[in-house]
Amino acid sequence: MNAAIDAHGLSKRYRAGWALRDCSLRVPSGRISGLVGPNGAGKTTLLRLAVGLLKPTAGEISVFGWSPTDQPNLVLARVGFVPQDRPLYRHFTVDDILQLGRHLNPRWDQALAVARLTRLAIPLNRKLAHLSGGQQAQVSLALALGKRPDLLLLDEPLSNLDPLARREFMSGLVEVVAAEGLTVILSSHVVAELERVCDHLVILNGGRVQVVGDIDELLHLHKLLIAPRVDPKSISGDATVIRATHTDRQSAMLVKVGSEPVRPDWEVHDVSLEDIVLAYLGNPAAATLPAPAVEKAG
Amino acid sequence: MVNFYLDARSGVPTYMQLVNQVRRAVRNGTVHAGDRLPTAREVVAALAINPNTVLKAYTQLESEGLVISRPGLGTFIAQGIPAPLAPVLQRQLRRGLDSWIRSAATAGLDRDGMLALINLAIDEQGAHVA
């Protein structure tokens, strides 16, 4: 089966500079992938490239095997996109916006959208401007799901939501995934929220892809080593040190383990996904991918 | 019915927490052979976790022979699972443990110390403890 998203050497330059630089990544279908990175890392640019709102400056991106800009008719009907600011026509009622969805989308499922909103007790005759932030987020999600997408892209879906609304949003989302088996990519800079929901992770930093992979595998591959103070360069074997901190007696190193066993006199601890993400973000030179090709333009 | 919950700070992977809760429910006799486990969709909606996590837990339980999955019907507690401990036996073991904990506390051991000692003892019994 084609990957939901496949990008090779994908680059995007705005007037102000490069937003994405030589990014290669693959998100298999059926996954819930978390797209993390600091503000300005290129997350939104990547999502906009995936729906053809932007055209790559160099490289290519395909969605289920098709180019979003060259073959939009094969891509757009299958993709739901909820941008960061959840743009909704504030003076429309919920019912109005569902009507709009029905007229604009060939695969529209009115019953599904209405059932979701009814279950959440969101009144269909209320104006969007009069709904809470959490309810507006749910309307955006229902609108995107009513389209019956095979791929759902959510840009910072949890921003401005209180903890209860976040929980309700996530639980509604995973329930749809369990029932329909669609692929989801959601961006966030709050990693803790992604850990239980996502099974795939992409770390973007400064316009480059640092890590792409299965979360279970990443957790399995990364360990915290505690050792008597050592120079991280002297660490034996083929482990890669992502982050090292030292006191005068001890060194703590978050490493990506290699094929050789760790020295038996060192303590080995499991790490959380958040530990891994923070270690990579703090060390932009580290990547689980082969080093990017030599830069072509600048 | 098993009511799953998650302890975010335990450090135990989510799927393993689900596996352990089913094992415990079987051992305590709160579920019986033939009982249906919640569907993946029900667990996912209740806990807001990844659907594959639930499938992974159920696959693991199935490979242990604790549950069987009937396609289209659901996942059920298997026949022939070990019977829960008889209440008399359970009370008896518990009394022994209570008095051990009291002596350990008197000797100055804290919770971690006690658990470490118990784990060590179990490890050293090796062959006798599954």
Side-chain angles (χ1 to χ4, degrees):
Chain A
M1 192 171 11
N2 278 320
I5 288 204
D6 212 341
H8 294 283
L10 185 67
S11 305
K12 177 68 196 176
R13 182 165 58 183
Y14 298 120
R15 210 167 291 167
W18 291 95
L20 278 186
R21 207 60 196 279
D22 203 16
C23 291
S24 296
L25 65 112
R26 191 181 158 86
V27 180
S29 42
R31 311 300 290 272
I32 304 182
S33 183
L35 178 59
V36 301
N39 293 326
K43 304 188 293 286
T44 300
T45 299
L46 178 62
L47 295 178
R48 292 170 68 89
L49 284 162
V51 286
L53 284 168
L54 294 173
K55 214 175 156 63
T57 310
E60 55 198 41
I61 182 166
S62 66
V63 174
F64 297 115
W66 308 102
S67 156
T69 42
D70 299 343
Q71 291 135 330
N73 52 330
L74 296 172
V75 171
L76 294 187
R78 299 179 66 185
V79 181
F81 177 45
V82 180
Q84 190 163 0
D85 34 12
R86 297 181 212 111
L88 293 167
Y89 295 103
R90 296 176 54 77
H91 297 293
F92 278 30
T93 63
V94 177
D95 201 31
D96 292 338
I97 202 113
L98 294 182
Q99 292 274 2
L100 186 66
R102 190 164 73 199
H103 288 296
L104 291 177
N105 294 289
R107 307 207 294 188
W108 183 257
D109 187 337
Q110 176 80 5
L112 181 132
V114 169
R116 286 190 72 81
L117 296 173
T118 311
R119 198 154 50 102
L120 292 161
I122 294 176
L124 298 185
N125 57 2
R126 180 135 338 145
K127 283 195 174 170
L128 290 160
H130 298 152
L131 296 180
S132 71
Q135 289 175 322
Q136 289 182 11
Q138 293 286 5
V139 171
S140 304
L141 181 63
L143 203 56
L145 290 172
K147 195 177 164 169
R148 300 215 69 113
D150 297 319
L151 170 64
L152 182 61
L153 306 173
L154 305 168
D155 197 359
E156 297 282 353
L158 302 175
S159 62
N160 306 325
L161 296 187
D162 63 59
L164 181 63
R166 287 171 179 227
R167 181 61 181 270
E168 281 176 346
F169 184 91
M170 284 302 213
S171 128
L173 177 66
V174 285
E175 194 182 2
V176 180
V177 175
E180 313 277 334
L182 72 169
T183 311
V184 179
I185 300 178
L186 61 140
S187 75
S188 178
H189 49 250
V190 191
V191 181
E193 269 158 352
L194 302 181
E195 189 155 11
R196 41 202 290 175
V197 165
C198 296
D199 54 6
H200 186 271
L201 185 78
V202 178
I203 302 183
L204 275 185
N205 198 3
R208 293 186 187 276
V209 175
Q210 259 193 302
V211 173
V212 182
D214 186 277
I215 288 180
D216 281 348
E217 246 165 64
L218 291 172
L219 290 171
H220 188 69
L221 277 176
H222 292 84
K223 300 284 174 197
L224 181 69
L225 304 185
I226 311 272
R229 174 146 195 167
V230 290
D231 178 358
K233 288 196 198 76
S234 75
I235 167 174
S236 61
D238 50 356
T240 316
V241 177
I242 312 299
R243 192 193 56 197
T245 50
H246 306 279
T247 63
D248 45 350
R249 296 245 213 95
Q250 274 194 331
S251 296
M253 290 167 290
L254 194 143
V255 302
K256 176 167 172 266
V257 296
S259 50
E260 292 170 32
V262 174
R263 284 175 46 166
D265 53 329
W266 291 3
E267 279 179 53
V268 182
H269 297 276
D270 288 334
V271 290
S272 70
L273 191 65
E274 193 163 17
D275 295 333
I276 297 176
V277 171
L278 291 176
Y280 275 96
L281 293 182
N283 181 7
T288 62
L289 296 166
V294 178
E295 297 170 16
K296 290 156 219 118
Chain B
M1 185 70 121
V2 180
N3 263 318
F4 291 113
Y5 59 91
L6 286 185
D7 179 354
R9 282 170 302 176
S10 71
V12 179
T14 307
Y15 88 94
M16 213 50 220
Q17 294 194 34
L18 304 183
V19 167
N20 288 339
Q21 284 166 36
V22 174
R23 285 186 187 147
R24 207 173 307 138
V26 166
R27 205 178 308 130
N28 298 342
T30 44
V31 293
H32 308 276
D35 284 356
R36 190 176 68 81
L37 289 181
T39 62
R41 186 175 172 171
E42 286 163 351
V43 180
V44 151
L47 301 180
I49 57 172
N50 188 285
N52 291 327
T53 307
V54 185
L55 299 180
K56 192 169 169 186
Y58 283 13
T59 309
Q60 163 93 23
L61 288 163
E62 200 173 1
S63 74
E64 292 175 9
L66 221 50
V67 305
I68 47 169
S69 108
R70 299 210 188 93
L73 292 175
T75 305
F76 299 85
I77 302 293
Q79 305 294 328
I81 49 165
L85 216 49
V88 183
L89 203 52
Q90 187 161 356
R91 273 198 299 278
Q92 200 182 332
L93 286 170
R94 181 61 200 271
R95 272 199 297 275
L97 202 52
D98 286 344
S99 92
W100 185 87
I101 290 171
R102 277 192 300 274
S103 338
T106 316
L109 276 187
D110 61 3
R111 171 188 287 266
D112 284 347
M114 291 182 207
L115 287 174
L117 205 52
I118 289 172
N119 282 326
L120 186 69
I122 291 174
D123 288 346
E124 287 179 3
Q125 289 281 323
H128 305 289
V129 183

